[in-house]
Structure formats: C-alpha cells, structure tokens
Amino acid sequence: MSIGAGAFVAGSTPTDEEHPMTEYLPTPRTLVDGLAMVESGRWRDGRLWFAHWGVGEVLAVDPAVDPDGRAEVMASGPARMGWSIAWLPDGRLVTTGDAITRHEPDGTLTTLRAQGANEIAVDPAGHVYVDGFDGAFGDGGWPDPGWIDLLAPDGSWRRVAEDIHFPNGMVITPDGATLVVAESTAGRLTAFDIADDGSLTGRRVWADGLGPDGIAIDAEGGIWTQTGDTRTFTGDPASPAGACVRVLDGGEITHRVETDLPCFACALGGPDGRSLFLLCNEWAGIEEAVAVQARRSARVLVTEVPR
C-alpha cells in the first residue's frame, strides 16, 4: 500500500540553500474537499481522476466545467487503502489493491492477477508495470524491500526489478525510455532503462534526500515529488505540513509548492498541462487511518506551473 507522508526518509533533505534558484508556485486553491483519503491522481479525457481510499470509488472532476469540485463516481475500487489506477492501451481502466482488476466497458470486472499491487504505470509501448511488496505493513515495522513486475495482457507476469525500498509512485519519461519509481523508505527516486521487451536495466538514482510517494512527470522530464523536510519527517512544528517539488535527473530542484496538509500524490493536467493537482490528507500514522478517513478532511488542491 502507499504510505503517504508516513515514510522514514534516509539521507539529507535538499534545502533552499542548496537550491537557491528554486521558484515557489502560487498558493494552491481547493478544488475538491470533504473526502475520506485521496491518492493516485491522473489526468485523462479532460478530467482529473483519482482513487478515493476507504470508500472504494474512482472519482473524476473537470476543473473547467465544475470549478467547485463536485466529483463524479466513474468506477468502483477496493474499499481499502493502498491502490491505484491506470488505463491499458485500449482504454480500459485497471485498479490495483488486493488484486489487479480490469474494468470492462459493460461494467464487469476481470481479475488479471490475484496477487495484488500498489502502484501501476503504462509506457507508450503498452508495457504495464505494477509494484508492491510481500508481507505485512503496520505491525510496528516496515515490510521487506519490494519489487516491480511486468504484466502481460493475458495476466501472466514476470519480475523485472527487486530490492525496491517501499515501492510507490512510478512514472515513465515522455520518450518512453526510462521508468522512475519512488522508493519511499529510502527517500529517493530510482530510474531504470526500459528495454524493447519491457525489461528494466541500468538502475541508478535519479534524486535522493526526498520523501516520495505518488509522483508525476511533466513534458520536459521534470518529476514532481514530495519532500522530506515536512513536519511528518522532521518533527518540527515550524516545518510545512506538506511540500511538493520539481526535481530534475541528478537532483536539481527547480520549483516548490507547500500545502497545509501532507501531500500524498500529485498530477499534472489542464488544457495546457500546466495545472498541478495536489492530493492531500491528514496523516497520524497507519493506526489512525480509519479515524482520519471518517473525518472527511482530505482535499484536492490545484495551482499553476509556469511555462
């Protein structure tokens, strides 16, 4: 499952002193509120789609048509935390969770794989990647390092990467050549080269000293990710509750935006791809997750990214 802002971040956190040219984005405004817990934001067909955790819904909202944020239920999802959404090349929706499920056009559900997964990403060639870990989470410790699997159309799969420290959000670079995964408990983004057959090779660090969870990539190849200098990680009440930065391959941070709740995930969209959506939730540890969801305090925020 995705752990949101609750991960331990190894290593040092980049600071403004180390990145003096960092540009701050405008203060985000609320697009949707009154939600249980939100994750896995995706822009598709002129809408922001996202997973509504604890409720079991896939929601979508069109900021242009409904700026007040009345989200529409588009499909069902697992009534639990720790699942994501993506689309196959033919347009069918897939949800992860306890199993990997394909949503057929007539509304029926097909189990692609009984073994579940956390995040999912599909590259331009149609390769479907899912990540996750084996073992329990929330029993006083972190699970063992996890994996990335390549899922075939018939539901068969093969493992293409291992030793991923709490595998979380994944993105594919615009040229389809590189997959980047968030290793949440290691505080880093890790990159792989994508081979023609979907294999992952050439493992390397894209950036570290972060607090990555659900991530997004822009048309220029910059990755938007959560930082490790927020209140959850530092324990300092003077730290921001949430923050999201744009980081380039190699670790240079170019932009930053702060939020008044921990930011679990982000997505880019809008007519020109310059709207940055921030999916924000309260976080008081996994043991308080049910109580947090009952408070319906989660929000989707939006700000604008400069050209």
Side-chain angles (χ1 to χ4, degrees), residues 5-287:
F8 167 77
V9 178
S12 62
T13 300
T15 65
D16 285 348
E17 289 73 22
E18 293 169 318
H19 299 277
M21 301 305 291
T22 299
E23 179 178 349
Y24 278 71
L25 301 187
T27 300
R29 63 189 182 278
T30 298
L31 176 63
V32 190
D33 59 9
L35 300 168
M37 194 167 280
V38 290
E39 249 278 12
S40 190
R42 312 283 194 251
W43 183 262
R44 184 176 176 86
D45 297 334
R47 294 182 177 188
L48 175 72
W49 298 59
F50 56 95
H52 195 192
W53 284 3
V55 181
E57 298 172 335
V58 178
L59 299 180
V61 60
D62 183 340
V65 173
D66 197 346
D68 294 328
R70 285 183 290 274
E72 179 182 357
V73 178
M74 306 301 293
S76 62
R80 50 161 280 181
M81 294 175 62
W83 56 279
S84 301
I85 62 174
W87 288 264
L88 299 175
D90 62 10
R92 285 181 290 182
L93 176 70
V94 175
T95 53
T96 64
D98 291 322
I100 301 172
T101 303
R102 186 177 67 216
H103 297 244
E104 308 296 353
D106 63 1
T108 60
L109 304 178
T110 300
T111 299
L112 292 179
R113 189 174 83 167
Q115 179 185 354
N118 179 21
E119 287 272 1
I120 180 170
V122 182
D123 77 359
H127 299 124
V128 179
Y129 298 94
V130 295
D131 68 24
F133 54 83
D134 302 317
F137 169 61
D139 297 328
W142 300 111
D144 292 336
W147 37 262
I148 302 173
D149 290 345
L150 178 62
L151 189 66
D154 63 1
S156 62
W157 56 273
R158 59 187 172 93
R159 190 137 297 170
V160 289
E162 295 183 289
D163 196 32
I164 310 294
H165 290 255
F166 211 114
N168 228 313
M170 291 188 292
V171 294
I172 312 292
T173 55
D175 61 5
T178 305
L179 178 146
V180 181
V181 61
E183 292 193 81
S184 289
T185 55
R188 66 177 171 243
L189 300 176
T190 297
F192 297 87
D193 299 325
I194 300 176
D196 290 344
D197 67 353
S199 299
L200 300 181
T201 61
R203 180 174 184 159
R204 57 189 174 81
V205 174
W206 176 286
D208 59 13
L210 300 165
D213 188 342
I215 59 178
I217 191 165
D218 58 34
E220 295 77 28
I223 292 178
W224 293 85
T225 180
Q226 302 73 25
T227 70
D229 62 351
T230 55
R231 203 171 299 157
T232 299
F233 304 121
T234 66
D236 182 353
S239 299
C244 185
V245 297
R246 179 179 185 263
V247 61
L248 304 180
D249 189 0
E252 179 186 354
I253 291 175
T254 64
H255 297 77
R256 177 182 175 96
V257 61
E258 296 181 354
T259 57
D260 58 4
L261 285 176
C263 180
F264 277 45
C266 55
L268 286 161
D272 57 2
R274 297 292 176 176
S275 295
L276 178 65
F277 301 96
L278 304 156
L279 286 75
C280 299
N281 304 286
E282 286 187 67
W283 187 251
I286 190 66
E287 65 279 357

